[in-house]
Amino acid sequence: MVTAESEPERTRLIGGPGILLVWLYGVMVVGAVSRSVYQIATEFDRAPLAYTLSAVAGVVYGFITYTLVRGGETARRAARICCAAELAGVLIVGTWTLVEPSAFPDSTVWSDYGMGYVFIPVLLPLSALYWLRRARTA
């Protein structure tokens, strides 16, 4: 049985700039999830791929927010993996929407590298990866 006294203390990931990351990811969760839920409920047949990708983005944002708040080495590794996957998704979907715009009759959170969200979707994972690396060495 593990008690609170024997459990190693978790390294906080939300100190300093990490608080801003948690706040921004929280805003992105609300934006992506609420938008995709509405679009899936009301007009899914119009752009199922775009709305599904927005929902996936919202789930990824939610998981990253959770791992940043949770802290600890396992959460740090999970956050790094999710941030890398998020960045890959933004780059892939962003490029796809520019190369083949007809595949997306409506935009996603990651369309045009997040232009509809002031490019936060492409900047956020880069910032988070930097912070997670920096916080680990500190």
Side-chain angles (χ1 to χ4, degrees), residues 22-38 54-55 57-62 65 109 117:
V22 169
W23 185 84
L24 287 171
Y25 270 112
V27 168
M28 293 303 292
V29 169
V30 172
V33 170
S34 62
R35 175 183 177 178
S36 64
V37 165
Y38 173 78
S54 288
V59 170
V60 170
Y61 293 144
T65 303
V109 174
Y117 286 80

Side-chain angles (χ1 to χ4, degrees), residues 58-122:
V59 170
V60 170
Y61 293 144
F63 186 75
I64 292 170
T65 303
Y66 169 75
T67 58
L68 290 173
V69 170
R70 179 163 169 74
E73 192 55 34
T74 302
R76 179 190 315 279
R77 277 184 259 140
R80 288 178 74 188
I81 291 167
C82 283
C83 287
E86 173 196 357
L87 181 59
V90 172
L91 296 176
I92 291 167
V93 172
T95 302
W96 190 2
T97 58
L98 294 175
V99 172
E100 186 63 40
S102 63
F104 295 90
D106 203 355
S107 63
T108 73
V109 174
W110 295 339
S111 292
D112 304 319
Y113 307 107
M115 186 168 65
Y117 286 80
V118 197
F119 297 104
I120 291 173
V122 75

Side-chain angles (χ1 to χ4, degrees), residues 3-47:
T3 65
E5 294 168 1
S6 66
E7 187 176 314
E9 188 170 327
R10 290 189 182 135
T11 305
R12 288 186 48 119
L13 300 176
I14 59 171
I19 294 171
L20 179 60
L21 284 174
V22 169
W23 185 84
L24 287 171
Y25 270 112
V27 168
M28 293 303 292
V29 169
V30 172
V33 170
S34 62
R35 175 183 177 178
S36 64
V37 165
Y38 173 78
Q39 290 171 325
I40 288 171
T42 61
E43 50 195 23
F44 185 72
D45 57 331
R46 181 169 167 233

